[in-house]
mmCIF file of all heavy atoms in Angstrom:
data_model
loop_
_atom_site.group_PDB
_atom_site.id
_atom_site.type_symbol
_atom_site.label_atom_id
_atom_site.label_comp_id
_atom_site.label_asym_id
_atom_site.label_seq_id
_atom_site.Cartn_x
_atom_site.Cartn_y
_atom_site.Cartn_z
ATOM 1 N N PHE A 453 116.386 82.475 98.687
ATOM 2 C CA PHE A 453 117.038 81.486 97.822
ATOM 3 C C PHE A 453 116.412 81.460 96.427
ATOM 4 O O PHE A 453 117.105 81.236 95.428
ATOM 5 C CB PHE A 453 116.979 80.104 98.466
ATOM 6 C CG PHE A 453 117.991 79.903 99.547
ATOM 7 C CD1 PHE A 453 117.641 80.040 100.884
ATOM 8 C CD2 PHE A 453 119.311 79.615 99.237
ATOM 9 C CE1 PHE A 453 118.581 79.875 101.890
ATOM 10 C CE2 PHE A 453 120.265 79.447 100.231
ATOM 11 C CZ PHE A 453 119.902 79.577 101.561
ATOM 12 N N TYR A 454 115.104 81.720 96.343
ATOM 13 C CA TYR A 454 114.452 81.753 95.030
ATOM 14 C C TYR A 454 114.963 82.928 94.198
ATOM 15 O O TYR A 454 115.212 82.800 92.989
ATOM 16 C CB TYR A 454 112.936 81.847 95.200
ATOM 17 C CG TYR A 454 112.172 81.907 93.896
ATOM 18 C CD1 TYR A 454 112.236 80.861 92.976
ATOM 19 C CD2 TYR A 454 111.396 83.020 93.565
ATOM 20 C CE1 TYR A 454 111.542 80.913 91.777
ATOM 21 C CE2 TYR A 454 110.696 83.079 92.373
ATOM 22 C CZ TYR A 454 110.774 82.022 91.486
ATOM 23 O OH TYR A 454 110.095 82.089 90.291
ATOM 24 N N LEU A 455 115.155 84.074 94.832
ATOM 25 C CA LEU A 455 115.674 85.237 94.117
ATOM 26 C C LEU A 455 117.115 85.014 93.669
ATOM 27 O O LEU A 455 117.514 85.468 92.585
ATOM 28 C CB LEU A 455 115.571 86.487 94.995
ATOM 29 C CG LEU A 455 114.146 86.962 95.315
ATOM 30 C CD1 LEU A 455 114.174 88.099 96.332
ATOM 31 C CD2 LEU A 455 113.410 87.404 94.052
ATOM 32 N N LYS A 456 117.902 84.320 94.462
ATOM 33 C CA LYS A 456 119.266 83.979 94.051
ATOM 34 C C LYS A 456 119.231 83.072 92.816
ATOM 35 O O LYS A 456 120.047 83.225 91.892
ATOM 36 C CB LYS A 456 120.000 83.283 95.192
ATOM 37 C CG LYS A 456 120.324 84.194 96.370
ATOM 38 C CD LYS A 456 121.075 83.466 97.466
ATOM 39 C CE LYS A 456 122.484 83.116 97.033
ATOM 40 N NZ LYS A 456 123.261 82.520 98.155
ATOM 41 N N TYR A 457 118.286 82.140 92.793
ATOM 42 C CA TYR A 457 118.120 81.257 91.629
ATOM 43 C C TYR A 457 117.750 82.061 90.385
ATOM 44 O O TYR A 457 118.295 81.832 89.289
ATOM 45 C CB TYR A 457 117.046 80.219 91.932
ATOM 46 C CG TYR A 457 116.476 79.533 90.722
ATOM 47 C CD1 TYR A 457 117.214 78.566 90.017
ATOM 48 C CD2 TYR A 457 115.199 79.853 90.252
ATOM 49 C CE1 TYR A 457 116.683 77.944 88.893
ATOM 50 C CE2 TYR A 457 114.669 79.240 89.140
ATOM 51 C CZ TYR A 457 115.415 78.284 88.457
ATOM 52 O OH TYR A 457 114.886 77.682 87.348
ATOM 53 N N LEU A 458 116.837 83.040 90.535
ATOM 54 C CA LEU A 458 116.446 83.874 89.399
ATOM 55 C C LEU A 458 117.626 84.697 88.885
ATOM 56 O O LEU A 458 117.754 84.916 87.672
ATOM 57 C CB LEU A 458 115.293 84.793 89.789
ATOM 58 C CG LEU A 458 113.939 84.123 90.059
ATOM 59 C CD1 LEU A 458 112.899 85.161 90.470
ATOM 60 C CD2 LEU A 458 113.447 83.361 88.826
ATOM 61 N N ASN A 459 118.479 85.161 89.780
ATOM 62 C CA ASN A 459 119.656 85.918 89.341
ATOM 63 C C ASN A 459 120.608 85.052 88.527
ATOM 64 O O ASN A 459 121.257 85.531 87.589
ATOM 65 C CB ASN A 459 120.381 86.514 90.554
ATOM 66 C CG ASN A 459 119.845 87.876 90.929
ATOM 67 O OD1 ASN A 459 119.231 88.558 90.115
ATOM 68 N ND2 ASN A 459 120.067 88.275 92.168
ATOM 69 N N ARG A 460 120.714 83.778 88.866
ATOM 70 C CA ARG A 460 121.554 82.881 88.069
ATOM 71 C C ARG A 460 120.979 82.714 86.660
ATOM 72 O O ARG A 460 121.722 82.658 85.672
ATOM 73 C CB ARG A 460 121.691 81.518 88.760
ATOM 74 C CG ARG A 460 122.559 81.559 90.019
ATOM 75 C CD ARG A 460 122.979 80.170 90.447
ATOM 76 N NE ARG A 460 121.835 79.361 90.857
ATOM 77 C CZ ARG A 460 121.379 79.293 92.102
ATOM 78 N NH1 ARG A 460 121.964 79.996 93.076
ATOM 79 N NH2 ARG A 460 120.355 78.525 92.399
ATOM 80 N N LYS A 461 119.655 82.650 86.559
ATOM 81 C CA LYS A 461 119.021 82.588 85.237
ATOM 82 C C LYS A 461 119.277 83.865 84.450
ATOM 83 O O LYS A 461 119.538 83.821 83.234
ATOM 84 C CB LYS A 461 117.506 82.360 85.381
ATOM 85 C CG LYS A 461 117.114 80.972 85.855
ATOM 86 C CD LYS A 461 115.608 80.806 85.882
ATOM 87 C CE LYS A 461 115.003 80.885 84.488
ATOM 88 N NZ LYS A 461 113.550 80.618 84.491
ATOM 89 N N GLN A 462 119.189 85.017 85.129
ATOM 90 C CA GLN A 462 119.459 86.299 84.470
ATOM 91 C C GLN A 462 120.901 86.358 83.959
ATOM 92 O O GLN A 462 121.172 86.906 82.881
ATOM 93 C CB GLN A 462 119.196 87.459 85.435
ATOM 94 C CG GLN A 462 117.730 87.679 85.788
ATOM 95 C CD GLN A 462 116.941 88.238 84.629
ATOM 96 O OE1 GLN A 462 116.559 87.507 83.716
ATOM 97 N NE2 GLN A 462 116.684 89.536 84.651
ATOM 98 N N ALA A 463 121.837 85.802 84.728
ATOM 99 C CA ALA A 463 123.240 85.801 84.311
ATOM 100 C C ALA A 463 123.413 85.016 83.013
ATOM 101 O O ALA A 463 124.157 85.432 82.114
ATOM 102 C CB ALA A 463 124.113 85.204 85.415
ATOM 103 N N ARG A 464 122.720 83.885 82.884
ATOM 104 C CA ARG A 464 122.807 83.092 81.651
ATOM 105 C C ARG A 464 122.214 83.855 80.469
ATOM 106 O O ARG A 464 122.722 83.772 79.345
ATOM 107 C CB ARG A 464 122.097 81.749 81.840
ATOM 108 C CG ARG A 464 122.817 80.821 82.822
ATOM 109 C CD ARG A 464 122.291 79.393 82.719
ATOM 110 N NE ARG A 464 120.907 79.284 83.164
ATOM 111 C CZ ARG A 464 120.549 78.999 84.418
ATOM 112 N NH1 ARG A 464 121.483 78.831 85.364
ATOM 113 N NH2 ARG A 464 119.284 78.901 84.746
ATOM 114 N N ARG A 465 121.174 84.605 80.703
ATOM 115 C CA ARG A 465 120.573 85.410 79.633
ATOM 116 C C ARG A 465 121.544 86.487 79.164
ATOM 117 O O ARG A 465 121.668 86.744 77.965
ATOM 118 C CB ARG A 465 119.268 86.059 80.117
ATOM 119 C CG ARG A 465 118.132 85.104 80.409
ATOM 120 C CD ARG A 465 116.914 85.856 80.902
ATOM 121 N NE ARG A 465 116.351 86.710 79.876
ATOM 122 C CZ ARG A 465 115.428 87.637 80.102
ATOM 123 N NH1 ARG A 465 114.995 87.856 81.333
ATOM 124 N NH2 ARG A 465 114.965 88.368 79.110
ATOM 125 N N ARG A 466 122.226 87.140 80.120
ATOM 126 C CA ARG A 466 123.159 88.195 79.741
ATOM 127 C C ARG A 466 124.349 87.631 78.959
ATOM 128 O O ARG A 466 124.839 88.275 78.023
ATOM 129 C CB ARG A 466 123.638 88.943 80.990
ATOM 130 C CG ARG A 466 122.602 89.881 81.580
ATOM 131 C CD ARG A 466 123.197 90.794 82.619
ATOM 132 N NE ARG A 466 123.581 90.072 83.828
ATOM 133 C CZ ARG A 466 122.764 89.837 84.843
ATOM 134 N NH1 ARG A 466 121.498 90.258 84.791
ATOM 135 N NH2 ARG A 466 123.188 89.197 85.920
ATOM 136 N N VAL A 467 124.799 86.449 79.332
ATOM 137 C CA VAL A 467 125.892 85.826 78.588
ATOM 138 C C VAL A 467 125.479 85.592 77.140
ATOM 139 O O VAL A 467 126.258 85.819 76.203
ATOM 140 C CB VAL A 467 126.311 84.494 79.255
ATOM 141 C CG1 VAL A 467 127.260 83.708 78.345
ATOM 142 C CG2 VAL A 467 126.983 84.774 80.596
ATOM 143 N N ALA A 468 124.238 85.172 76.926
ATOM 144 C CA ALA A 468 123.742 84.945 75.570
ATOM 145 C C ALA A 468 123.689 86.231 74.766
ATOM 146 O O ALA A 468 123.765 86.207 73.533
ATOM 147 C CB ALA A 468 122.353 84.302 75.622
ATOM 148 N N LEU A 469 123.582 87.374 75.457
ATOM 149 C CA LEU A 469 123.530 88.673 74.787
ATOM 150 C C LEU A 469 124.913 89.317 74.663
ATOM 151 O O LEU A 469 125.048 90.421 74.141
ATOM 152 C CB LEU A 469 122.602 89.624 75.555
ATOM 153 C CG LEU A 469 121.117 89.257 75.563
ATOM 154 C CD1 LEU A 469 120.375 90.112 76.570
ATOM 155 C CD2 LEU A 469 120.528 89.452 74.179
ATOM 156 N N GLY A 470 125.936 88.670 75.176
ATOM 157 C CA GLY A 470 127.277 89.237 75.132
ATOM 158 C C GLY A 470 127.530 90.253 76.215
ATOM 159 O O GLY A 470 128.476 91.042 76.129
ATOM 160 N N LEU A 471 126.710 90.254 77.269
ATOM 161 C CA LEU A 471 126.871 91.180 78.390
ATOM 162 C C LEU A 471 127.531 90.463 79.560
ATOM 163 O O LEU A 471 127.565 89.231 79.599
ATOM 164 C CB LEU A 471 125.505 91.724 78.809
ATOM 165 C CG LEU A 471 124.797 92.646 77.808
ATOM 166 C CD1 LEU A 471 123.370 92.892 78.248
ATOM 167 C CD2 LEU A 471 125.551 93.956 77.681
ATOM 168 N N PRO A 472 128.040 91.212 80.548
ATOM 169 C CA PRO A 472 128.640 90.573 81.716
ATOM 170 C C PRO A 472 127.628 89.686 82.438
ATOM 171 O O PRO A 472 126.456 90.067 82.609
ATOM 172 C CB PRO A 472 129.063 91.752 82.596
ATOM 173 C CG PRO A 472 129.182 92.901 81.668
ATOM 174 C CD PRO A 472 128.151 92.683 80.604
ATOM 175 N N ALA A 473 128.080 88.535 82.868
ATOM 176 C CA ALA A 473 127.179 87.608 83.558
ATOM 177 C C ALA A 473 126.787 88.140 84.930
ATOM 178 O O ALA A 473 125.616 88.084 85.318
ATOM 179 C CB ALA A 473 127.837 86.238 83.685
ATOM 180 N N GLU A 474 127.744 88.669 85.672
ATOM 181 C CA GLU A 474 127.507 89.072 87.050
ATOM 182 C C GLU A 474 127.361 90.585 87.159
ATOM 183 O O GLU A 474 128.254 91.324 86.777
ATOM 184 C CB GLU A 474 128.648 88.596 87.954
ATOM 185 C CG GLU A 474 128.830 87.083 87.980
ATOM 186 C CD GLU A 474 127.597 86.355 88.482
ATOM 187 O OE1 GLU A 474 126.894 86.926 89.359
ATOM 188 O OE2 GLU A 474 127.330 85.235 88.017
ATOM 189 N N LEU A 475 126.234 91.031 87.677
ATOM 190 C CA LEU A 475 126.008 92.429 88.012
ATOM 191 C C LEU A 475 125.661 92.505 89.488
ATOM 192 O O LEU A 475 125.035 91.598 90.034
ATOM 193 C CB LEU A 475 124.873 93.020 87.170
ATOM 194 C CG LEU A 475 125.102 93.095 85.661
ATOM 195 C CD1 LEU A 475 123.851 93.628 84.964
ATOM 196 C CD2 LEU A 475 126.292 93.981 85.336
ATOM 197 N N GLU A 476 126.037 93.578 90.136
ATOM 198 C CA GLU A 476 125.827 93.702 91.575
ATOM 199 C C GLU A 476 124.720 94.697 91.884
ATOM 200 O O GLU A 476 124.441 95.615 91.104
ATOM 201 C CB GLU A 476 127.127 94.130 92.264
ATOM 202 C CG GLU A 476 128.244 93.105 92.134
ATOM 203 C CD GLU A 476 129.493 93.542 92.875
ATOM 204 O OE1 GLU A 476 129.386 94.415 93.768
ATOM 205 O OE2 GLU A 476 130.575 93.022 92.558
ATOM 206 N N ASP A 477 124.094 94.510 93.026
ATOM 207 C CA ASP A 477 123.020 95.374 93.502
ATOM 208 C C ASP A 477 123.628 96.615 94.154
ATOM 209 O O ASP A 477 124.256 96.519 95.206
ATOM 210 C CB ASP A 477 122.155 94.601 94.495
ATOM 211 C CG ASP A 477 121.155 95.475 95.220
ATOM 212 O OD1 ASP A 477 120.765 96.513 94.656
ATOM 213 O OD2 ASP A 477 120.758 95.104 96.346
ATOM 214 N N ILE A 478 123.447 97.783 93.530
ATOM 215 C CA ILE A 478 124.043 99.001 94.095
ATOM 216 C C ILE A 478 123.135 99.664 95.128
ATOM 217 O O ILE A 478 123.513 100.661 95.735
ATOM 218 C CB ILE A 478 124.381 100.032 92.993
ATOM 219 C CG1 ILE A 478 123.111 100.542 92.309
ATOM 220 C CG2 ILE A 478 125.357 99.450 91.999
ATOM 221 C CD1 ILE A 478 123.376 101.692 91.362
ATOM 222 N N SER A 479 121.923 99.122 95.341
ATOM 223 C CA SER A 479 121.005 99.740 96.300
ATOM 224 C C SER A 479 121.502 99.627 97.733
ATOM 225 O O SER A 479 121.077 100.378 98.600
ATOM 226 C CB SER A 479 119.615 99.110 96.186
ATOM 227 O OG SER A 479 119.626 97.785 96.661
ATOM 228 N N VAL A 480 122.390 98.649 98.004
ATOM 229 C CA VAL A 480 122.925 98.488 99.356
ATOM 230 C C VAL A 480 124.362 98.979 99.457
ATOM 231 O O VAL A 480 125.052 98.708 100.429
ATOM 232 C CB VAL A 480 122.835 97.013 99.806
ATOM 233 C CG1 VAL A 480 121.395 96.606 100.018
ATOM 234 C CG2 VAL A 480 123.517 96.096 98.802
ATOM 235 N N MET A 481 124.807 99.723 98.426
ATOM 236 C CA MET A 481 126.157 100.284 98.446
ATOM 237 C C MET A 481 126.114 101.740 98.887
ATOM 238 O O MET A 481 125.116 102.437 98.681
ATOM 239 C CB MET A 481 126.790 100.218 97.048
ATOM 240 C CG MET A 481 127.011 98.834 96.496
ATOM 241 S SD MET A 481 127.794 98.921 94.848
ATOM 242 C CE MET A 481 127.768 97.195 94.374
#
Side-chain angles (χ1 to χ4, degrees):
F453 282 99
Y454 179 61
L455 293 173
K456 290 181 70 174
Y457 162 74
L458 291 179
N459 272 339
R460 289 196 295 269
K461 289 184 65 175
Q462 291 289 79
R464 292 194 293 269
R465 293 179 66 192
R466 285 192 291 272
V467 169
L469 293 169
L471 292 170
E474 299 300 327
L475 296 177
E476 296 182 20
D477 170 26
I478 65 172
S479 70
V480 291
M481 296 181 186

